[in-house]
PDB file of all heavy atoms in Angstrom:
ATOM      1  N   ILE Q 308      23.376  -7.886 -20.249  1.00 86.00           N
ATOM      2  CA  ILE Q 308      22.033  -8.399 -20.399  1.00 86.00           C
ATOM      3  C   ILE Q 308      21.770  -8.655 -21.877  1.00 86.00           C
ATOM      4  O   ILE Q 308      22.398  -8.041 -22.750  1.00 86.00           O
ATOM      5  CB  ILE Q 308      20.956  -7.440 -19.817  1.00 86.00           C
ATOM      6  CG1 ILE Q 308      21.128  -6.050 -20.416  1.00 86.00           C
ATOM      7  CG2 ILE Q 308      21.019  -7.410 -18.316  1.00 86.00           C
ATOM      8  CD1 ILE Q 308      20.067  -5.058 -19.998  1.00 86.00           C
ATOM      9  N   ALA Q 309      20.867  -9.539 -22.162  1.00 74.00           N
ATOM     10  CA  ALA Q 309      20.539  -9.832 -23.566  1.00 74.00           C
ATOM     11  C   ALA Q 309      19.915  -8.581 -24.231  1.00 74.00           C
ATOM     12  O   ALA Q 309      19.144  -7.898 -23.569  1.00 74.00           O
ATOM     13  CB  ALA Q 309      19.555 -11.013 -23.604  1.00 74.00           C
ATOM     14  N   GLY Q 310      20.284  -8.353 -25.416  1.00 65.00           N
ATOM     15  CA  GLY Q 310      19.680  -7.283 -26.195  1.00 65.00           C
ATOM     16  C   GLY Q 310      18.198  -7.541 -26.402  1.00 65.00           C
ATOM     17  O   GLY Q 310      17.761  -8.716 -26.351  1.00 65.00           O
ATOM     18  N   ALA Q 311      17.458  -6.544 -26.596  1.00 60.00           N
ATOM     19  CA  ALA Q 311      16.027  -6.705 -26.801  1.00 60.00           C
ATOM     20  C   ALA Q 311      15.714  -7.466 -28.088  1.00 60.00           C
ATOM     21  O   ALA Q 311      16.360  -7.206 -29.093  1.00 60.00           O
ATOM     22  CB  ALA Q 311      15.347  -5.329 -26.849  1.00 60.00           C
ATOM     23  N   GLN Q 312      14.749  -8.402 -28.026  1.00 65.00           N
ATOM     24  CA  GLN Q 312      14.334  -9.025 -29.218  1.00 65.00           C
ATOM     25  C   GLN Q 312      13.218  -8.215 -29.884  1.00 65.00           C
ATOM     26  O   GLN Q 312      12.826  -8.471 -31.015  1.00 65.00           O
ATOM     27  CB  GLN Q 312      13.843 -10.480 -28.876  1.00 65.00           C
ATOM     28  CG  GLN Q 312      15.082 -11.362 -28.622  1.00 65.00           C
ATOM     29  CD  GLN Q 312      14.798 -12.363 -27.573  1.00 65.00           C
ATOM     30  OE1 GLN Q 312      13.677 -12.546 -27.075  1.00 65.00           O
ATOM     31  NE2 GLN Q 312      15.857 -13.040 -27.160  1.00 65.00           N
ATOM     32  N   SER Q 313      12.709  -7.282 -29.184  1.00 72.00           N
ATOM     33  CA  SER Q 313      11.729  -6.323 -29.652  1.00 72.00           C
ATOM     34  C   SER Q 313      11.825  -5.136 -28.724  1.00 72.00           C
ATOM     35  O   SER Q 313      12.844  -4.980 -28.039  1.00 72.00           O
ATOM     36  CB  SER Q 313      10.343  -6.927 -29.596  1.00 72.00           C
ATOM     37  OG  SER Q 313      10.000  -7.291 -28.278  1.00 72.00           O
ATOM     38  N   GLN Q 314      10.817  -4.292 -28.646  1.00 86.00           N
ATOM     39  CA  GLN Q 314      10.887  -3.148 -27.760  1.00 86.00           C
ATOM     40  C   GLN Q 314      10.650  -3.685 -26.320  1.00 86.00           C
ATOM     41  O   GLN Q 314       9.702  -4.448 -26.069  1.00 86.00           O
ATOM     42  CB  GLN Q 314       9.848  -2.119 -28.096  1.00 86.00           C
ATOM     43  CG  GLN Q 314      10.208  -1.421 -29.426  1.00 86.00           C
ATOM     44  CD  GLN Q 314       9.223  -0.326 -29.703  1.00 86.00           C
ATOM     45  OE1 GLN Q 314       8.142  -0.238 -29.148  1.00 86.00           O
ATOM     46  NE2 GLN Q 314       9.587   0.580 -30.616  1.00 86.00           N
ATOM     47  N   ALA Q 315      11.460  -3.242 -25.404  1.00 90.00           N
ATOM     48  CA  ALA Q 315      11.388  -3.695 -24.057  1.00 90.00           C
ATOM     49  C   ALA Q 315      11.837  -2.545 -23.097  1.00 90.00           C
ATOM     50  O   ALA Q 315      12.246  -1.533 -23.548  1.00 90.00           O
ATOM     51  CB  ALA Q 315      12.284  -4.942 -23.828  1.00 90.00           C
ATOM     52  N   TYR Q 316      11.729  -2.839 -21.803  1.00 92.00           N
ATOM     53  CA  TYR Q 316      12.274  -1.915 -20.813  1.00 92.00           C
ATOM     54  C   TYR Q 316      12.828  -2.674 -19.614  1.00 92.00           C
ATOM     55  O   TYR Q 316      12.484  -3.849 -19.424  1.00 92.00           O
ATOM     56  CB  TYR Q 316      11.183  -0.937 -20.340  1.00 92.00           C
ATOM     57  CG  TYR Q 316      10.041  -1.550 -19.590  1.00 92.00           C
ATOM     58  CD1 TYR Q 316      10.120  -1.758 -18.206  1.00 92.00           C
ATOM     59  CD2 TYR Q 316       8.866  -1.952 -20.225  1.00 92.00           C
ATOM     60  CE1 TYR Q 316       9.094  -2.339 -17.501  1.00 92.00           C
ATOM     61  CE2 TYR Q 316       7.838  -2.510 -19.541  1.00 92.00           C
ATOM     62  CZ  TYR Q 316       7.921  -2.721 -18.146  1.00 92.00           C
ATOM     63  OH  TYR Q 316       6.926  -3.309 -17.484  1.00 92.00           O
ATOM     64  N   TYR Q 317      13.704  -1.979 -18.911  1.00 93.00           N
ATOM     65  CA  TYR Q 317      14.251  -2.522 -17.675  1.00 93.00           C
ATOM     66  C   TYR Q 317      14.014  -1.461 -16.549  1.00 93.00           C
ATOM     67  O   TYR Q 317      14.058  -0.282 -16.813  1.00 93.00           O
ATOM     68  CB  TYR Q 317      15.761  -2.798 -17.745  1.00 93.00           C
ATOM     69  CG  TYR Q 317      16.112  -3.964 -18.613  1.00 93.00           C
ATOM     70  CD1 TYR Q 317      16.239  -3.875 -19.982  1.00 93.00           C
ATOM     71  CD2 TYR Q 317      16.269  -5.231 -17.995  1.00 93.00           C
ATOM     72  CE1 TYR Q 317      16.537  -4.983 -20.740  1.00 93.00           C
ATOM     73  CE2 TYR Q 317      16.546  -6.354 -18.787  1.00 93.00           C
ATOM     74  CZ  TYR Q 317      16.712  -6.216 -20.126  1.00 93.00           C
ATOM     75  OH  TYR Q 317      16.952  -7.306 -20.925  1.00 93.00           O
ATOM     76  N   ARG Q 318      13.719  -1.977 -15.359  1.00 93.00           N
ATOM     77  CA  ARG Q 318      13.528  -1.105 -14.225  1.00 93.00           C
ATOM     78  C   ARG Q 318      14.070  -1.875 -12.995  1.00 93.00           C
ATOM     79  O   ARG Q 318      14.269  -3.051 -13.062  1.00 93.00           O
ATOM     80  CB  ARG Q 318      12.115  -0.641 -14.012  1.00 93.00           C
ATOM     81  CG  ARG Q 318      11.187  -1.732 -13.637  1.00 93.00           C
ATOM     82  CD  ARG Q 318       9.736  -1.181 -13.354  1.00 93.00           C
ATOM     83  NE  ARG Q 318       8.914  -2.218 -12.745  1.00 93.00           N
ATOM     84  CZ  ARG Q 318       8.834  -2.439 -11.447  1.00 93.00           C
ATOM     85  NH1 ARG Q 318       9.590  -1.774 -10.573  1.00 93.00           N
ATOM     86  NH2 ARG Q 318       8.009  -3.379 -10.977  1.00 93.00           N
ATOM     87  N   ALA Q 319      14.264  -1.133 -11.875  1.00 94.00           N
ATOM     88  CA  ALA Q 319      14.820  -1.760 -10.668  1.00 94.00           C
ATOM     89  C   ALA Q 319      14.093  -1.282  -9.429  1.00 94.00           C
ATOM     90  O   ALA Q 319      13.542  -0.184  -9.404  1.00 94.00           O
ATOM     91  CB  ALA Q 319      16.312  -1.466 -10.581  1.00 94.00           C
ATOM     92  N   GLU Q 320      14.170  -2.099  -8.391  1.00 94.00           N
ATOM     93  CA  GLU Q 320      13.578  -1.803  -7.077  1.00 94.00           C
ATOM     94  C   GLU Q 320      14.658  -2.195  -6.019  1.00 94.00           C
ATOM     95  O   GLU Q 320      15.307  -3.200  -6.164  1.00 94.00           O
ATOM     96  CB  GLU Q 320      12.365  -2.598  -6.758  1.00 94.00           C
ATOM     97  CG  GLU Q 320      11.190  -2.337  -7.683  1.00 94.00           C
ATOM     98  CD  GLU Q 320       9.957  -3.165  -7.336  1.00 94.00           C
ATOM     99  OE1 GLU Q 320      10.015  -3.998  -6.373  1.00 94.00           O
ATOM    100  OE2 GLU Q 320       8.971  -3.060  -8.014  1.00 94.00           O
ATOM    101  N   CYS Q 321      14.748  -1.393  -4.971  1.00 93.00           N
ATOM    102  CA  CYS Q 321      15.710  -1.679  -3.915  1.00 93.00           C
ATOM    103  C   CYS Q 321      14.961  -1.433  -2.573  1.00 93.00           C
ATOM    104  O   CYS Q 321      14.224  -0.460  -2.447  1.00 93.00           O
ATOM    105  CB  CYS Q 321      16.918  -0.760  -4.006  1.00 93.00           C
ATOM    106  SG  CYS Q 321      18.113  -1.015  -2.710  1.00 93.00           S
ATOM    107  N   THR Q 322      15.155  -2.352  -1.593  1.00 91.00           N
ATOM    108  CA  THR Q 322      14.555  -2.131  -0.283  1.00 91.00           C
ATOM    109  C   THR Q 322      15.632  -2.027   0.771  1.00 91.00           C
ATOM    110  O   THR Q 322      16.756  -2.498   0.603  1.00 91.00           O
ATOM    111  CB  THR Q 322      13.639  -3.322   0.050  1.00 91.00           C
ATOM    112  OG1 THR Q 322      14.338  -4.532   0.006  1.00 91.00           O
ATOM    113  CG2 THR Q 322      12.435  -3.402  -0.847  1.00 91.00           C
ATOM    114  N   SER Q 323      15.278  -1.364   1.854  1.00 90.00           N
ATOM    115  CA  SER Q 323      16.184  -1.253   3.020  1.00 90.00           C
ATOM    116  C   SER Q 323      15.402  -1.563   4.280  1.00 90.00           C
ATOM    117  O   SER Q 323      14.118  -1.494   4.309  1.00 90.00           O
ATOM    118  CB  SER Q 323      16.765   0.160   3.141  1.00 90.00           C
ATOM    119  OG  SER Q 323      15.735   1.104   3.379  1.00 90.00           O
TER     120      SER Q 323
END
Side-chain angles (χ1 to χ4, degrees):
I308 55 175
Q312 286 145 8
S313 59
Q314 292 184 342
Y316 65 86
Y317 287 87
R318 68 176 190 86
E320 297 179 0
C321 179
T322 57
S323 66

